[in-house]
Structures are given as C-alpha cells and as structure tokens.
Amino acid sequence: MIIGVLKCTEENLVAMVPKVVSKYQKGDFEIMIETGAGAASNYPDDQYEELGVKVAPRKEVLAQSDILLTVFGINIDELDQVKKEAMIIGKFNGRVESELLTALKQCEANAYSLDLLPRSTIAQSMDVLSSLASLSGYKAVVLGADNFGGYLPMMTTSAGTIPPAKVMVLGAGVAGLQAIATAKRLGAMIEVFDVRSAVKEEVQSLGAKFIEVEGAQESADAGGYAIQQSDEYIAKQKELIHQTAMKSDIVITTANIPGRQAPLLIEEKTVKAMKAGSVIIDMATASGGNVALSKDNETVEIEGVKIIGDTKLYNHMGAQSSFVYSNNIYNFLSFVLKEGKDNIPYDNEIVKNTLLKVEQEESVSA
C-alpha cells in the first residue's frame, strides 16, 4: 500500500516526520510526500528522500495513495481525485458543521477525523487534541513570561527581594495542566479555576491553589470536557475570577466546550481592572474567546493590559507538534489496520467515532 502525505498550508504541521518514516517502512508501506510538505515544520524534502520517501507533486500524491495523511489540508474539489477505496486521515474539526466535513462524509473514500477520538485508555496514544493541547499549554506560559515585564520566580537581590509572579489558569484540562506545571517550574505562584471538581487533586499535586465555585454542574457523558453551567454559577464564577484577576500578573484561559462557543470568563470590566503590564493569553479565541475584547490571532492592549489571542499555540512549535501528531496517526493506523485494510474493526468505538459518514437516516431522507 502507498501512504501519501499532503502539505498543510493552514498550520505548521506535517502528518509524517522523518523519525516516524521507518516505523511505516517496517510494515512494507511505500511512502510518498507532497513537495515541501514538511518545510514549515523544518523538515525539508531531502530528509525524506534520504529515507527512500518519494517526493512528488500534490496531484500525484492524491491520485496514487491508498492512505492519505493530512492535518486538514485537503480541499473539497480534490476529493474526486482520491481513490474510491482510500483512507483519508486528519483532524477535520468534526464537531463543527462545515462544507468540507459534509463533503468528507459523502465522498466514496473513508475519511477519519482524529479530533473525534473517544477519551479512553486505548485511544490515549492516538489523541491528537491532547498532544497538541499539551504543547499549547507549555507555549502559553512561555509567551506570557516573555510579554510580562518581570521575573516569574521570587528573586533575592542586593537591592531587595522581588516576589514571584502570580499566574491564574482558567481550565485544568490537558492545556491547563501543562500550563500549571510549566509555570510552577518557572517559580510562579498559581491559582486555578475549573468547573470539574475531579481535577482538584491533580491541580494541587502540581503545586497550584485550586479555587472552587460552589454549584458546578458536571456530567459523566462529557468525556472529560466541561459542560455549560447555570447562570447563577457563571455569575459567582465571574465575580471570583474578577477578584483574582486583579491581583494576577499573567492569566491563561483554556476553557473550550466542543462544538459550542467558548464561555466568556473574563469580562471587559475585569480586563480594565487588572494591573497595567499584566498579560492575558486567550487560548479559546477561535470559538469566540474566554476574554472580552480578545481577537483571534491578534494581540490587543487595553489600558496597559496585553491580550494575546491564539488557539493554536502549538503552531509556533512546528517540529515538535508534527512529531507528536505523526506518532498519534501511526498509533491510530496500527490499531485500525492490525488485521489488514480488509478487516478494519468498524464496530470498535475508536473507528465508529472517527469515521466520517452520513448517518443512515440522513441518507434515507436525502
């Protein structure tokens, strides 16, 4: 079988890095990669050619591949160039309706969106969202520290003692936990908000203070994600966040609800009440943002408070992000193709969750 790797122009990621090529070659796969596919991630074509990978034009990769690997860099008008029995693997934002998603569900090839993987132990090694979120959480702290005009750790100097910076993290999912761990390693004092009481011990084990707001709603069916909260809870949460933010030097927001608009956690009055020189990193701007006045992929300054909006902070770490993404895809394919391409376990929850196909009732009504 031929595995083809497509270039992604929207992100600095490539779906197969040179270090992962040898894993596929042990399985007797022939590999093709689109010209320049790894350049944005600092993996030039010659690194692939040295490993026996064929570097080819996009049309050739589309037409000849039995398995196509991408991020989400495939266009609707290219789907008719793909083999009918091919597998297309990427992360296509499967919880948000789009023209591309509809086309992938209806095309004759089988498309798999890895952002729909279930939160299970067996799927952990394939979890692209967790892998990239962890890198983003790390980068958020580094970016915040770079834009904050002071030390993060406590410093004792001949001129006196400088207290540690105060960092507030909103959301203790994968990105939030990595942000907490990174800020702790840099010596900051950390306070954390999350609606899920189950993360309290994990937050405290990393050396942060967990701030609880009574009355949070939780659901075992949410797959580890936060769910929409009551108006009363949101009001209490915003007031406590307001009081904490005013004392903070760096605020990192990571709260996302899959397929829905991100909750607004920091209001305009809170931004304007913060100290001049403070920094906010909003990691939810692609879905509306957790912070009033934040803009996606932009930095704005409000009365001396800098707000950096960036949902894809992992994009600044192309080489490492591509490495983990490549391994996630390899682990997924190893599981799905364990018994060969003719014996894919379609009844398994990993395959059922990720396979993009029109539901039976939709097909009938159409």
Side-chain angles (χ1 to χ4, degrees):
M1 280 195 291
I2 297 175
I3 295 180
V5 183
L6 293 176
K7 181 178 181 179
C8 177
T9 56
E10 295 87 354
E11 296 186 13
N12 297 329
L13 276 98
V14 63
M16 189 186 299
V17 300
K19 283 185 179 179
V20 179
V21 167
S22 60
K23 292 184 179 183
Y24 287 104
Q25 289 173 332
K26 289 175 184 175
D28 296 325
F29 289 105
E30 183 182 336
I31 300 168
M32 298 175 67
I33 188 166
E34 182 183 351
T35 305
S41 306
N42 296 317
Y43 296 113
D45 290 344
D46 57 6
Q47 288 190 17
Y48 293 96
E49 289 175 320
E50 288 170 5
L51 296 169
V53 175
K54 181 180 179 181
V55 178
R58 187 176 182 88
K59 283 189 176 182
E60 192 174 332
V61 176
L62 285 165
Q64 295 186 21
S65 300
D66 301 293
I67 300 172
L68 269 173
L69 308 184
T70 182
V71 184
F72 49 80
I74 190 165
N75 301 317
I76 295 173
D77 57 5
E78 293 177 322
L79 293 177
D80 60 359
Q81 301 175 44
V82 179
K83 287 184 177 181
K84 292 181 180 180
E85 67 277 14
M87 298 172 68
I88 306 171
I89 299 168
K91 58 180 186 75
F92 303 109
N93 204 8
R95 289 184 174 88
V96 180
E97 290 303 320
S98 66
E99 289 184 16
L100 175 60
L101 196 65
T102 300
L104 286 167
K105 287 179 179 180
Q106 295 175 343
C107 75
E108 295 185 84
N110 282 333
Y112 298 82
S113 190
L114 300 194
D115 53 290
L116 297 175
L117 279 162
R119 288 294 179 92
S120 64
T121 302
I122 195 168
Q124 204 166 17
S125 66
M126 317 167 195
D127 193 344
V128 298
L129 293 185
S130 292
S131 295
L132 298 177
S134 182
L135 289 164
S136 290
Y138 164 83
K139 192 65 176 179
V141 175
V142 174
L143 190 61
D146 189 45
N147 282 272
F148 171 59
Y151 287 120
L152 260 66
M154 182 177 72
M155 285 286 181
T156 301
T157 71
S158 57
T161 299
I162 300 171
K166 293 179 179 178
V167 175
M168 179 170 72
V169 178
L170 302 182
V174 175
L177 290 172
Q178 185 60 252
I180 294 164
T182 304
K184 185 64 178 177
R185 284 193 290 267
L186 291 174
M189 290 178 61
I190 310 143
E191 293 182 301
V192 181
F193 286 83
D194 197 291
V195 299
R196 298 161 299 172
S197 58
V199 301
K200 180 178 180 178
E201 288 186 15
E202 205 165 358
V203 166
Q204 292 174 331
S205 72
L206 292 171
K209 179 181 178 182
F210 186 75
I211 301 175
E212 283 186 278
V213 182
E214 293 182 3
Q217 298 178 36
E218 300 186 48
S219 172
D221 299 325
Y225 292 104
I227 63 171
Q228 189 68 35
Q229 298 296 315
S230 68
D231 291 342
E232 183 184 359
Y233 176 89
I234 291 170
K236 287 193 289 186
Q237 182 190 50
K238 284 181 179 177
E239 179 55 32
L240 200 48
I241 287 173
H242 177 79
Q243 296 299 327
T244 308
M246 288 194 300
K247 306 169 191 172
S248 300
D249 300 299
I250 299 172
V251 175
I252 296 169
T253 72
T254 71
N256 275 295
I257 300 174
R260 299 186 63 174
Q261 184 164 331
L264 180 66
L265 302 178
I266 297 183
E267 298 176 312
E268 184 175 341
K269 69 171 187 177
T270 303
V271 173
K272 291 180 177 178
M274 290 176 66
K275 298 178 292 184
S278 301
V279 181
I280 303 173
I281 311 293
D282 188 346
M283 296 174 61
T285 46
S287 54
N290 297 143
V291 184
L293 308 174
S294 67
K295 295 182 180 179
D296 195 27
N297 298 320
E298 287 188 36
T299 298
V300 296
E301 193 164 322
I302 310 295
E303 297 182 10
V305 177
K306 193 177 287 185
I307 308 173
I308 300 170
D310 195 335
T311 299
K312 299 178 180 179
L313 285 167
Y314 59 81
N315 214 25
H316 302 281
M317 307 167 67
Q320 291 85 357
S321 296
S322 295
F323 176 74
V324 297
Y325 185 64
S326 298
N327 276 302
N328 289 148
I329 289 179
Y330 175 79
N331 293 332
F332 174 78
L333 276 175
S334 296
F335 175 82
V336 171
L337 299 178
K338 189 175 182 179
E339 303 296 331
K341 197 178 176 187
D342 294 329
N343 295 293
I344 292 173
Y346 290 106
D347 289 335
N348 183 276
E349 67 167 353
I350 288 174
V351 179
K352 283 197 294 186
N353 277 35
T354 56
L355 180 59
L356 299 177
K357 282 296 175 188
V358 177
E359 296 294 333
Q360 190 67 35
E361 52 269 25
E362 291 181 28
S363 300
V364 172
S365 63

